[in-house]
Amino acid sequence: MTLEHSTTSSDLTSEDYEPVLKELATIRSEMVIEADRSRSLLDQVHPCYRESARNLLHYLALRHHDIRPLQIRLAALGLSSLGRAESHVMATVDAVLDVLHRLAGHSLEQSAAEPAVINFATGERLLVEHTETLLGPAVPGRWVRIMVTMPSEAADDYHLVHDLLQQGMDCMRINCAHDDATAWLRMIEHLRRAEKSLGRSCQVIMDLAGPKLRTGPLEPGPAVVKIRPRRDLLGQVTAPARVWLFAETNPQPSPSPADACLPVPEPWLSRMHQGEEIQLTDARGSRRTLTIVDLTDEGCWAEAVQTTYVIPGTVLKHEHKVAKAKHREAAVGDIAATENDLTLFQGDQLIITRNLEPGRPVTHDSAGEVLTPAQIGCTIPDVFNDVRAGQSIWFDDGKIGGVIEKVDSTRVLVRITQARLSGAKLRADKGINLPESNLSLNALTDKDLADLAFVAQHADVVEMSFANRAEDVEMLQQYLTRLDGRQPAIVLKIETRRGFENLPDMLLTAMRSPCCGVMIARGDLAVESGFERLAEVQEEILWICEAAHVPVIWATQVLESLAKEGMPSRAEITDAAMGHRAECVMLNKGQHVLHAVRTLDDILRRMQSHQTKKRAMLRELRLATHTPSEKISNTSDPAET
């Protein structure tokens, strides 16, 4: 039956309601059956999550159907279309069925039994309670929490931690992939001191590194320093390059930023005078000049107005007339090798080796033809036992993509299919994603197990990276149980396709613990699921978690340009506002992270009066106070002129 938009309730008879009522009643019966079928799972869930787990099963049963036609018919009848039922599924369905029975003229029937149905208020209350347990109490005027990832500097800078807490940080995130237990402890001590100073509380959340697959090392590049002055569009020098010369036997950092730092013999350096010129022939055979502009006890400053390439052994000469000829020359000491990279183009072949021997760029013959393709190793070579030809592979957060062409005992051959037309650079320690491969990786690495002892002692929450299966969650729970002392809450980081597909099972397992949450780790998840599908995937995660009354953390690249460069993009502001759909928004580290915290706090406070989860909140709209002027309608008829 299709109801036209012009149909009103007075035009309908009881027969018009019957098909809608019957379809919804059938769905309700299936919801009850699904929860009953999973009773053994519900019995394992922690008591504080048992009703939430049942609500999740109801929601999964409801969403097993395509109910869009039913939604249209319900809306045409002026009834709820079930679009905001997540936190109280059975109560929503029962409320609609009750109205349909009345409209159809039925005597009210007792629906199939389903104990302890979560009503509208209870569903929202449970999510609030679980959020407070996991992420701490909300601050006045903003119920979405702000999480900030600690930079290494936080271990030695109390004022940074203090200022972050003062500006609105609710959760301190420590990434166990960086720093060590000594640095982590100092960060936490700074936080506890800041809490006492400001009278605020803040959760400590520690992120296990997990089995992150990354590219291996590369052969070092040439040991060369490029000294380059700044020029305008016409090539004219606008500022000379600043060169710091220091004694190679007593290295001293430059007192201010330098364009280049060169180690030289101390006796030669001690003979420098301001205004003198240093002559050299650089690595390209070009004659160049450096001018001494300042002398200090630690070294001296020179300036260059021409681009100069300096390597170890480059001879520097100065024309001090008092010094003997042999004392006028000095050779540049050791210079650190430059970081190498592989430049890859669409159509190139890349060799991935099953070891961590340093990789190297492509080599060509005298005619420019490829001799040996570029090659690089990987940090977990065993994963290539699980890959097959034809499967996709991505590098560096999706910047470079390819297809696996061949797998043998020592290497994997990849054909690059996605890269910038001008070429993409692949460096060491960049992420590798294999979204179509069923990888048999241990969820917890040896490092993770070693870190867990510290985490269990000091953290309020432990984040499990690359959670893919219910068995992974169970493994973490077992290891935490073996550790003495407090048990931190568990957050599942959803960052793979398998993790997304197995989210319901993983949630039901995590809910065996008294407190849990989910992080949408959008970096790897976008690569794994496809960038074009990320918006859809994160919506589904939000729906599933709300049905389970499990808090969600919205993470990865939130206000990233603002945190790192001091200026956000327009898209980032919109993205941050969408984060209000979650219970917590995570900011990553950056030079301007304090500004990012203030901005995010302001955005979340403004959005709170407009949106709660999926529900639009209709506060007074300022635009509605400006009614159209009557003069607008007094327009002359063009035909009369």
Side-chain angles (χ1 to χ4, degrees):
M1 181 185 82
T2 301
L3 296 175
E4 301 295 336
H5 290 292
S6 59
T7 302
T8 64
S9 58
S10 60
D11 300 323
L12 300 174
T13 65
S14 60
E15 288 78 13
D16 295 315
Y17 299 105
E18 294 293 345
V20 182
L21 195 157
K22 182 178 179 180
E23 182 176 351
L24 187 57
T26 300
I27 292 174
R28 186 194 189 281
S29 297
E30 292 179 11
M31 292 163 56
V32 174
I33 293 171
E34 180 61 32
D36 189 61
R37 185 185 295 124
S38 304
R39 194 166 300 278
S40 60
L41 287 174
L42 292 174
D43 290 341
Q44 299 178 61
V45 169
H46 192 277
C48 72
Y49 270 114
R50 196 151 296 156
E51 298 310 318
S52 300
R54 180 179 284 108
N55 190 71
L56 171 60
L57 293 171
H58 289 160
Y59 185 71
L60 294 172
L62 174 69
R63 295 304 304 270
H64 182 71
H65 300 267
D66 181 354
I67 63 170
R68 287 176 294 177
L70 176 62
Q71 287 184 291
I72 293 172
R73 287 181 287 169
L74 287 171
L77 294 171
L79 303 178
S80 166
S81 59
L82 312 177
R84 296 192 295 270
E86 284 78 9
S87 64
H88 35 68
V89 187
M90 188 65 75
T92 302
V93 171
D94 281 348
V96 175
L97 281 173
D98 178 65
V99 175
L100 283 171
H101 277 296
R102 295 175 185 273
L103 291 172
H106 297 171
S107 57
L108 293 181
E109 300 177 3
Q110 183 66 37
S111 300
E114 178 64 10
V117 171
I118 292 178
N119 61 32
F120 295 85
T122 303
E124 295 180 1
R125 176 180 58 78
L126 284 171
L127 180 56
V128 170
E129 290 177 355
H130 295 161
T131 300
E132 188 162 314
T133 303
L134 180 73
L135 302 172
V139 296
R142 171 172 57 80
W143 68 272
V144 177
R145 279 62 165 184
I146 296 175
M147 180 188 299
V148 183
T149 300
M150 291 298 101
S152 298
E153 295 77 23
D156 301 309
D157 189 348
Y158 162 74
H159 295 290
L160 172 61
V161 177
H162 175 279
D163 292 345
L164 285 169
L165 186 62
Q166 187 176 46
Q167 294 301 326
M169 177 177 71
D170 303 290
C171 303
M172 167 191 273
R173 175 176 175 261
I174 298 174
N175 188 349
C176 294
H178 303 289
D179 307 307
D180 56 25
T182 302
W184 304 336
L185 183 58
R186 290 203 302 270
M187 293 176 189
I188 295 171
E189 289 172 345
H190 289 332
L191 177 66
R192 299 310 180 208
R193 177 183 164 192
E195 286 178 317
K196 292 180 181 178
S197 172
L198 296 170
R200 286 201 59 206
S201 63
C202 181
Q203 298 289 87
V204 173
I205 298 178
M206 299 194 69
D207 188 334
L208 299 177
K212 177 68 172 178
L213 181 61
R214 293 185 176 275
T215 54
L218 291 166
E219 292 179 349
V224 60
V225 172
K226 183 179 181 180
I227 303 172
R228 180 170 56 185
R230 284 173 285 283
R231 301 177 184 272
D232 60 21
L233 294 176
L234 298 177
Q236 301 297 317
V237 173
T238 58
R242 296 151 51 103
V243 183
W244 173 247
L245 301 173
F246 61 92
E248 58 188 350
T249 55
N250 184 27
Q252 297 293 326
S254 60
S256 61
D259 297 305
C261 297
L262 301 179
V264 295
E266 192 279 332
W268 181 86
L269 182 65
S270 65
R271 297 187 181 94
M272 294 296 103
H273 291 82
Q274 189 168 338
E276 287 186 334
E277 291 186 346
I278 299 172
Q279 308 294 328
L280 69 137
T281 301
D282 77 355
R284 300 176 301 170
S286 301
R287 299 184 64 180
R288 294 291 184 255
T289 300
L290 304 178
T291 302
I292 303 298
V293 294
D294 190 30
L295 300 169
T296 73
D297 292 337
E298 292 78 25
C300 71
W301 285 103
E303 290 183 346
V305 295
Q306 293 175 295
T307 301
T308 306
Y309 292 83
V310 179
I311 60 175
T314 296
V315 176
L316 307 180
K317 303 177 183 179
H318 75 86
E319 300 301 325
H320 188 246
K321 296 179 180 179
V322 177
K324 295 181 181 180
K326 66 178 182 178
H327 294 150
R328 297 175 187 170
E329 296 184 359
V332 174
D334 291 336
I335 295 173
T338 56
E339 181 185 4
N340 214 343
D341 59 58
L342 308 180
T343 302
L344 300 171
F345 297 86
Q346 292 184 23
D348 281 357
Q349 192 174 60
L350 173 66
I351 299 173
I352 304 178
T353 60
R354 291 180 181 246
N355 55 49
L356 288 176
E357 292 182 6
R360 57 190 179 86
V362 61
T363 58
H364 298 88
D365 62 17
S366 57
E369 297 297 323
V370 173
L371 287 171
T372 305
Q375 66 179 46
I376 197 167
C378 66
T379 55
I380 312 177
D382 289 345
V383 300
F384 292 112
N385 296 328
D386 301 323
V387 303
R388 301 290 181 268
Q391 293 177 337
S392 63
I393 183 169
W394 294 89
F395 303 91
D396 195 8
D397 288 336
K399 294 182 178 67
I400 304 170
V403 174
I404 295 171
E405 290 190 331
K406 185 180 179 181
V407 181
D408 60 32
S409 59
T410 60
R411 61 185 190 169
V412 174
L413 301 183
V414 173
R415 183 69 61 181
I416 300 301
T417 58
Q418 301 286 333
R420 293 181 181 274
L421 293 178
S422 57
K425 295 186 182 299
L426 180 61
R427 294 184 170 87
D429 199 37
K430 295 301 180 182
I432 302 176
N433 292 89
L434 295 155
E436 298 171 7
S437 306
N438 189 13
L439 305 180
S440 53
L441 289 173
N442 287 328
L444 297 173
T445 66
D446 291 341
K447 181 184 185 315
D448 294 334
L449 298 179
D451 292 341
L452 268 178
F454 181 95
V455 172
Q457 184 178 357
H458 296 281
D460 301 299
V461 180
V462 56
E463 292 180 342
M464 185 179 199
S465 297
F466 302 101
N468 287 323
R469 306 170 302 161
E471 291 80 2
D472 297 340
V473 184
E474 192 171 12
M475 184 188 306
L476 176 59
Q477 290 170 325
Q478 291 171 354
Y479 275 107
L480 287 173
T481 302
R482 294 173 194 170
L483 297 172
D484 295 330
R486 57 207 292 273
Q487 295 289 306
I490 294 172
V491 166
L492 308 178
K493 289 178 65 180
I494 307 303
E495 46 196 329
T496 66
R497 184 183 297 183
R498 289 177 64 205
F500 168 68
E501 293 170 349
N502 292 327
L503 178 58
D505 286 339
M506 289 197 296
L507 273 177
L508 288 169
T509 305
M511 291 161 80
R512 298 175 188 174
S513 301
C515 187
C516 64
V518 164
M519 173 182 282
I520 308 177
R522 301 182 299 169
D524 282 289
L525 186 59
V527 180
E528 292 268 336
S529 61
F531 283 84
E532 69 283 353
R533 200 185 167 214
L534 177 61
E536 176 187 10
V537 167
Q538 65 189 18
E539 281 296 300
E540 293 188 30
I541 294 174
L542 286 167
W543 298 337
I544 292 293
C545 290
E546 186 179 0
H549 309 130
V550 167
V552 174
I553 302 166
W554 182 279
T556 312
Q557 293 183 318
V558 178
L559 296 179
E560 182 169 278
S561 297
L562 175 57
K564 291 185 176 180
E565 302 169 16
M567 180 64 72
S569 69
R570 293 167 179 80
E572 283 181 340
I573 296 296
T574 302
D575 176 64
M578 286 294 294
H580 193 273
R581 298 276 310 282
E583 282 64 52
C584 181
V585 178
M586 189 191 90
L587 292 173
N588 233 323
K589 52 195 174 184
Q591 185 177 356
H592 305 278
V593 68
L594 279 171
H595 187 188
V597 172
R598 289 194 298 270
T599 301
L600 181 59
D601 177 76
D602 183 60
I603 291 170
L604 294 175
R605 289 177 185 274
R606 291 174 183 276
M607 288 302 299
Q608 183 160 308
S609 61
H610 294 289
Q611 189 84 25
T612 299
K613 302 300 281 185
K614 288 200 304 180
R615 182 184 299 117
M617 307 301 292
L618 303 184
R619 55 156 247 195
E620 178 191 4
L621 188 62
R622 291 172 185 168
L623 288 177
T625 63
H626 301 285
T627 56
S629 171
E630 293 181 1
K631 294 180 180 179
I632 295 177
S633 61
N634 298 329
T635 306
S636 299
D637 187 343
E640 297 177 357
T641 61

